[in-house]
Structure formats: C-alpha cells, structure tokens
Amino acid sequence: MALSSHLLQFPIHTSSPGPDYVLFYPSPLQSSSPIFIQKTKIPLIPIALKVSARVRCLTKSSTEEDRWSESESFVSDGGDGGEAARDDTKGQHHQQRIATSYGDSLSLGIREPVYEVVEVKSNGIVSTRKINRRQLLKSSGLRPRDIRSVDPSLFLTNSMPSLLVREHAILLNLGTLRAIAMQERVLIFDYNCEGGKAFLDTLLLRLNPRNNNGGPCMPFELEVVEAALLSRVQRLEQRLMNVEPRVQALLEVLPNRLTAEVLEELRISKQTLVELGSRAGALRQMLLDLLEDTQEIRRICIMGRNCTLVKGNDNVECSVPLEKQIAEEEEEEIEMLLENYLQRCESCHGQAERLLDSAKEMEDSIAVNLRCCW
C-alpha cells in the first residue's frame, strides 16, 4: 500500500554550540529535495514521516536517551514490523546470553582444596594419601574454621604455635609441623618439611612395640601430642647448641680482632639468637596458656570416652566410673608432661636471651671504641 509522505517542520533546541534553533525547509515539488539547516547550510537527507496528531518537541532539558526513544517512535508503517521483529530478536538473544552467563556463574564454584598428607595409624602403618577438605571434615568431625590452623596454604597468617582440642580431634600447629591427631590415626601436612620429618621419626620410634618396655602406653592422641612437643623442643635445643659455641668464640676475640668476617659472624649469630628466642618464647606461651586452661586439658582426657564436661564447674561426668578414674589420672599425666616441656622451653628461651644480650653488649662496646678512634 502506497503511503503519502509528508514533511514535518519543527524547531529543535540543543545544548551544543551553534544556532539557537534549526528549521527544516522542505521542497514543495520534490520530496527528495535536500533539506538545509539555517545558518550552517549543511545538506541532510530528507526523512519521510507519518504525520501524527501528537508531535513532541525535543526540549533543551531532554536527555540523550529521550531523544533516541522519540526518534524510534517516528518511523513509517512499512518499517514497523521489521524493526520491531529485529528489536525483539535482539532482546531475546540478549536475554539468552544473560541467562547463559548467569547459569554458568552458578555452575562455577570455588575449587575444593586437596591435601597430600601422610597418615600414621596407631599400629605404626604409614601411608601417603590425598584427601579433599570435604572428606577431611567428615572423617575428623571438624568444622571449616578449624582447618585454618593447620592449612599449609595459610602458613604466613597462622605461624603462631597452637594446640586446639575438639571433640574427636586435636589440631597441632608447631611451626612447620601441622597435624590432626585422632583416636586411631594422625594426618601430617607438609611431611617433607623439617618439622614434619622430625615429628614422623619421633612418633614412629615411640609407636615401636620394642621401645615400650612392656609398660602401659598412653592413648594414641596423647602419644602424638608428646611426640610433637618432643620433636619441636629438641630442634630448638639443637639449634641453641650449635649457635652457643660460635657466640662464645666471638666474645673472646672481640673487640681486639675487628675484621669484616668476625663482624659478619656476629651479625648472623645475633639474627639466629633472635629467631631462636622468638620461637622458644612463642612455644612457652602456648604451653602456659594450655596449663592455665583446665577445660582444654580435661577435654583431651575425655576424648573417645562416654564422658562430658559439666558446664559451670567443668567437672567430668562419665557413664562408667572406671572411665572417670582413668580420665583423672590422665589429667595429671598431661599436666606433668606439659610442665616438663614448659621448663625445657623456658631454659632454651632464657639461654638464647642471655647470649643475645652478651652479643649486643659486645656490639655496643665495639661502637664506642670506633667512635673514640675517630
């Protein structure tokens, strides 16, 4: 159907610099004659529009989005169907892309970490296995926040020593040693590190039946705790035994022998003593906090037994009287064990601090002598 074309004349106000208004001058003879903008004389292509009874003027306060929406409303009847269909198709495709993207984002999840651990059972059998976090939480009865203290990926943020007691597991974090002790097994993270190797050797030595001398053995989780503390304290004492002779030798030759090698050796020895004293002090503080928390010690004693702690007084109640007696005896043993390693930590920390003070005094003496010479 042929459409009668009419030309529309209306003013346009814009915010751009230029004339205040624009007038369209249609040719009365030819519909295809060019249209000129007054003052600028820029040729434009005429647009055939269907005159509507309602004509909107684009005011100066109109936004760019309003201009586009109004220009889309001034289309011919012949293009209405095609443009609308194309717009609908574009809208459907856009919605499909959004839906697909949203579905993909829902299907994507955080990759569950997988830990490679060494598993040591109570009978001494050692095996290497991989376990993801979900399996670890299910088998140990822990919560996700509990794993933070032993997660190897959080080594820098969880570097302070800790011993956390849960209902079915004990979490150990002693520097490079990170492990989860349960009633019948222990999982060791980063077993190739120095702390993991030392702990594994100490634990296997204690689990060897020939080393028990036929005496009664402690529960497996207590064996794990003692092996962890023993391996850690022994490493601190060994480092102290290595650095002490060097510091004593430096104190004898200084300040008479001021060479670059001697001063560098003094600097390295001081750095070693600072690190040693810090680690020994952190372990000592952990043991002090644990000894002052009676509830934590009793929770270790009742692990694996039909016993509970009474709220308010933290007394132990067991369904079997014999289990309560055993738990009380183990509480005394645990306190004696912790006191033993606390004394060894204090001795190591105190000796490291004394050597460090002597090295600092020698360094100050050297600085005074150098100022006097200058």
Side-chain angles (χ1 to χ4, degrees), residues 45-64:
I45 301 174
I47 302 175
L49 301 176
K50 183 178 179 181
V51 178
S52 173
R54 183 178 300 175
V55 178
R56 299 181 181 178
C57 295
L58 302 179
T59 60
K60 191 173 182 178
S61 61
S62 300
T63 61
E64 192 67 22

Side-chain angles (χ1 to χ4, degrees), residues 7 24 26 30-35 44-49:
L7 295 177
F24 293 88
Q30 298 180 357
S31 60
S32 61
S33 60
I35 300 175
L44 300 175
I45 301 174
I47 302 175
L49 301 176

Side-chain angles (χ1 to χ4, degrees), residues 300-316:
I300 298 176
C301 299
I302 65 175
M303 186 177 298
R305 296 189 174 94
N306 295 324
C307 303
T308 56
L309 289 178
V310 180
K311 294 183 178 179
N313 52 14
D314 294 334
N315 291 332
V316 178

Side-chain angles (χ1 to χ4, degrees), residues 149-206:
S149 61
V150 296
D151 194 338
S153 62
L154 303 177
F155 178 79
L156 297 178
T157 58
N158 294 331
S159 58
M160 294 299 294
S162 63
L163 192 152
L164 304 179
V165 183
R166 297 296 181 260
E167 185 176 359
H168 301 289
I170 300 176
L171 296 96
L172 294 167
N173 178 3
L174 301 179
T176 55
L177 168 61
R178 296 173 182 241
I180 300 178
M182 289 167 275
Q183 295 180 19
E184 299 295 332
R185 59 181 181 141
V186 58
L187 302 178
I188 307 171
F189 300 85
D190 282 348
Y191 50 89
N192 288 324
C193 294
E194 183 181 358
K197 291 179 180 179
F199 166 69
L200 185 59
D201 295 339
T202 305
L203 179 62
L204 293 178
L205 187 63
R206 296 176 63 87

